[in-house]
Amino acid sequence: MLATYRTIQSDSIHETEIKKSRFICHLKRITSEAEAKEFINQIKKEHWKANHNCSAFVLGEQNEIQRSSDDGEPSGTAGVPMLEVLKKNTLINVCAVVTRYFGGTKLGAGGLIRAYSGAVANSIAETGIVEGRLQQEISVTIPYNHWGKLEKFLETQKIVVKDTLFTHEVTAICFVDEDQVANFEAQVTDLLSGQATFVAGETSYSEQLIEE
């Protein structure tokens, strides 16, 4: 499993107009090639009157699967530029379909490349990118007299605390990057002179919006 990954925050639709041609970019998070193809066909059916429905998608932890289609536009002016934008943003598991309604003015090869790549880039910026981090749930149990120290440490290190339980002791349920668990436990142990016990919980991805 990846320690981190980047993808779009959510599925979206974003439209731009260039010389009276409408470029409608549809973005979708995908989990399989079949899902990507189904999405592309869905957009084609929805916009069957459009001149072109060009597409590109990346799939897999290392983008093992990459596909693109110019759908009737001059070769290399739509699908590949769209794919390059997805790769430049280091996204995984995303499908982009750009629907074009021709406005009567030809854009030329360079203009088409800028239009299709720009449609995807603008849509990604509008939607937002999230970073998913593989994190381990760690329950840290300590005596009451050490809670102040631990609380300050967690705040300083920007450790996400899921919950805090106050019984005869204090238990903080924390989310820690999976590759930092050993370091986290060592730091807490040193900070509290060994007066802490740790219990590992589930491992899962948490996503945070990236401000760019």
Side-chain angles (χ1 to χ4, degrees):
M1 298 176 73
L2 291 173
T4 63
Y5 64 83
R6 284 161 57 103
T7 192
I8 54 173
Q9 183 178 21
S10 60
D11 299 348
S12 68
I13 301 173
H14 181 72
E15 181 174 338
T16 56
E17 184 176 312
I18 300 173
K19 293 185 178 179
K20 297 184 179 179
S21 278
R22 294 171 60 205
F23 292 86
I24 308 169
C25 182
H26 316 259
L27 293 178
K28 181 176 177 60
R29 293 174 64 154
I30 56 172
T31 57
S32 68
E33 190 165 5
E35 185 179 6
K37 290 178 178 178
E38 182 181 349
F39 176 62
I40 294 167
N41 288 330
Q42 174 192 324
I43 299 302
K44 286 184 174 182
K45 287 179 182 179
E46 183 181 340
H47 293 278
W48 62 274
K49 288 186 178 181
N51 300 86
H52 309 278
N53 287 287
C54 305
S55 60
F57 65 87
V58 287
L59 182 67
E61 290 188 352
Q62 303 297 329
N63 285 342
E64 296 88 348
I65 299 174
Q66 302 178 18
R67 301 283 187 269
S68 64
S69 170
D70 294 313
D71 194 42
E73 291 283 28
S75 179
T77 62
V80 170
M82 292 166 58
L83 181 63
E84 288 303 313
V85 173
L86 298 179
K87 292 163 62 178
K88 182 180 179 181
N89 283 279
T90 61
L91 305 180
I92 68 168
N93 301 342
V94 178
C95 181
V97 181
V98 175
T99 298
R100 182 191 184 188
Y101 286 92
F102 184 54
T105 302
K106 292 185 178 181
L107 302 180
L112 288 173
I113 291 171
R114 288 189 294 273
Y116 280 100
S117 61
V120 177
N122 291 338
S123 190
I124 291 171
E126 186 78 16
T127 305
I129 296 174
V130 291
E131 181 181 68
R133 303 186 69 86
L134 190 59
Q135 295 195 308
Q136 176 81 52
E137 185 178 294
I138 301 290
S139 295
V140 185
T141 301
I142 60 172
Y144 267 85
N145 62 317
H146 285 315
W147 171 235
K149 276 187 180 180
L150 179 62
E151 186 177 30
K152 184 177 180 180
F153 170 79
L154 296 175
E155 183 179 342
T156 301
Q157 298 299 313
K158 297 181 179 178
I159 301 295
V160 176
V161 179
K162 177 183 178 182
D163 199 4
T164 307
L165 309 175
F166 297 93
T167 56
H168 63 287
E169 293 181 296
V170 182
T171 299
I173 304 173
C174 308
F175 285 115
V176 181
D177 289 354
E178 192 178 47
D179 59 356
Q180 291 297 314
V181 169
N183 184 51
F184 169 76
E185 292 185 355
Q187 286 181 303
V188 172
T189 298
D190 183 60
L191 177 71
L192 305 182
S193 303
Q195 297 187 57
T197 57
F198 307 92
V199 177
E202 296 182 351
T203 299
S204 61
Y205 284 106
S206 63
E207 294 185 346
Q208 296 290 328
L209 183 65
I210 298 173
E211 299 293 339
E212 294 186 325

